[in-house]
Amino acid sequence: MIRLRIIGAGVLLSLPLLFLIVAARWFWFSEVPKFESRERQRLSLTYRESAVELAERPEVATVERAPGWRQTGKIAGTPWGYVEENGQIRIWTGRGKTVRSVLLPAEETTDFAFVIGAGLAVVLVVVAVLTFLGFRFFLKMNRERADFVAAAAHDLETPVAALAMVLENRAAGIESDAAAIAECERLSLRLGRLVDNLRDFLHRGRRGAPVLTEFGLADAVRESYRPFANDYRDLLGKDVSVSGAGVFVRADETLVFQILWNLFANDLKYAAPYGAVEVFVTEAEGFGRATFVDAGRGLKASERRRIFERYYRAKSAMTSGKGGFGIGLCTAREFARAMGGDLTVRANEPKGCIFSLSLPVA
């Protein structure tokens, strides 16, 4: 469907250019010859007037008519003609081999073929460029639309899944009513913030500015881990180790949870099946850092350079059979940088990756 829409848009955008090409071809073969014919008639009339003046001047010396001096017409029964000679025009009149002749400056003429051809070429180039820019703009808008839909789905996926997990745990008797209600309230508040972000994105073409508050980074890591705890236990046989405390950062708590959810979700899909996952919360150089260390399959250097690009998915991710849009890490880094921090990746030795989220300390 998307391919058909793109093809249809390309055809519609190309119609003005195709129409102009057809019109230009018709004009070139139908009208340009008429302009050239009128120009020849104008020159012939101008030179005929000179030939009439020449015929009325008997004092002009006669010369021998050259073989290339072809007759153009007659003046009072006397043949006359003109021929180009060394950038000038030779006009002659008379009968036989001996005629009167004079050299005159050539009349300025208009090369209609060149002028009209150049004009048509410029117009065609301009319309072609505008058509290309219009098609490029359509592709950009189509991509931004898909980007928005994918980003919205990605942002809402984890909290919705967390709500479902809370309800399942309550139904199974794992959590009490009070704990389930408190967790649902927290997740509902975060869903409300996400909806506000999406509304801002629609109304202003971008997400709203981060709402900065002070909170404990280690507490945020532990709370964001809760929706994934059961799955990690199933894979690892234990919980993810989260070490560190006392680090307070100034950031948008909802955006930080989005980043942490992304990191926990990615490690769950791509790293936990191959080894342990640990998180270290530290403070250095004015930044609080949450460092995710895994012993998974890791990323090649070329993949690490591109891992934060929009829509990029590493080869290991594409062959894993697990879904994804390739926007999670890109969005996560955008969030981190919007709050004055960053999200980076480096290799873990002997295998795996180290993702590090840094945020300004409170």
Side-chain angles (χ1 to χ4, degrees):
M1 182 63 69
I2 294 177
R3 183 177 297 178
L4 289 176
R5 189 185 300 121
I6 292 174
I7 293 174
V11 172
L12 288 176
L13 289 170
S14 300
L15 285 179
L17 179 61
L18 294 175
F19 173 79
L20 186 61
I21 291 174
V22 173
R25 186 179 183 279
W26 169 82
F27 190 82
W28 180 264
F29 290 104
S30 176
E31 298 301 313
V32 171
K34 295 179 181 178
F35 282 106
E36 293 178 334
S37 176
R38 292 177 189 139
E39 182 68 3
R40 288 193 296 269
Q41 292 176 4
R42 183 186 72 81
L43 289 175
S44 180
L45 289 175
T46 301
Y47 295 142
R48 186 178 187 281
E49 293 176 359
S50 299
V52 169
E53 294 179 1
L54 179 63
E56 294 174 352
R57 294 170 58 189
E59 72 278 7
V60 176
T62 59
V63 297
E64 185 175 350
R65 178 180 173 183
W69 296 5
R70 290 174 296 179
Q71 179 178 333
T72 302
K74 290 186 177 181
I75 300 172
T78 303
W80 77 277
Y82 67 92
V83 63
E84 185 176 351
E85 188 176 298
N86 298 325
Q88 294 181 301
I89 296 297
R90 180 176 291 279
I91 297 176
W92 61 269
T93 179
R95 296 180 181 276
K97 294 183 178 181
T98 303
V99 295
R100 294 175 183 171
S101 173
V102 65
L103 273 174
L104 298 176
E107 285 285 323
E108 292 186 3
T109 60
T110 302
D111 189 347
F112 286 101
F114 174 79
V115 173
I116 296 176
L120 290 175
V122 170
V123 173
L124 287 173
V125 169
V126 170
V127 175
V129 170
L130 291 176
T131 301
F132 170 76
L133 293 177
F135 188 65
R136 186 177 178 182
F137 176 76
F138 170 80
L139 290 178
K140 180 175 180 291
M141 294 297 294
N142 195 65
R143 181 173 179 176
E144 287 181 353
R145 177 187 176 188
D147 183 11
F148 170 75
V149 173
H154 192 279
D155 285 355
L156 296 172
E157 180 181 11
T158 301
V160 170
L163 277 172
M165 188 177 297
V166 170
L167 295 176
E168 289 177 5
N169 290 341
R170 177 64 196 93
I174 299 174
E175 292 190 22
S176 65
D177 288 342
I181 291 173
E183 185 68 16
C184 286
E185 287 178 349
R186 283 195 296 270
L187 290 171
S188 296
L189 288 174
R190 302 197 188 287
L191 275 172
R193 282 294 308 279
L194 290 176
V195 172
D196 289 339
N197 283 341
L198 294 175
R199 188 182 295 113
D200 290 339
F201 186 86
L202 282 173
H203 290 173
R204 293 181 289 181
R206 57 177 177 82
R207 295 180 182 271
V211 179
L212 304 181
T213 59
E214 298 178 6
F215 57 91
L217 182 56
D219 294 336
V221 172
R222 291 186 176 94
E223 186 177 344
S224 64
Y225 168 70
R226 292 181 61 182
F228 305 94
N230 290 337
D231 290 325
Y232 271 101
R233 292 186 196 118
D234 291 339
L235 281 174
L236 301 175
K238 61 179 181 179
D239 280 313
V240 171
S241 172
V242 180
S243 62
V247 179
F248 287 83
V249 295
R250 181 171 177 79
D252 188 314
E253 193 174 5
T254 297
L255 298 186
V256 171
F257 268 83
Q258 283 297 106
I259 299 171
L260 296 173
W261 278 335
N262 267 300
L263 296 176
F264 275 121
N266 282 347
D267 275 344
L268 179 64
K269 287 191 290 186
Y270 306 122
Y274 302 96
V277 177
E278 297 178 287
V279 183
F280 301 92
V281 178
T282 59
E283 180 181 341
E285 300 176 351
F287 287 91
R289 288 187 172 85
T291 304
F292 286 67
V293 181
D294 69 68
R297 298 171 65 180
L299 297 168
K300 298 177 181 178
S302 59
E303 292 175 329
R304 290 197 301 272
R305 285 193 294 269
R306 298 190 59 193
I307 196 64
F308 295 109
E309 291 181 10
R310 193 170 296 274
Y311 303 118
Y312 177 76
R313 299 187 71 205
K315 184 178 180 181
S316 57
M318 290 188 291
T319 57
S320 66
K322 297 178 174 65
F325 293 105
I327 64 171
L329 288 176
C330 172
T331 304
R333 188 173 69 168
E334 288 176 358
F335 286 167
R337 291 182 172 180
M339 294 181 288
D342 204 355
L343 180 62
T344 60
V345 63
R346 65 182 189 274
N348 188 22
E349 298 297 341
K351 65 175 183 176
C353 287
I354 300 175
F355 284 87
S356 181
L357 169 64
S358 60
L359 297 166
V361 296

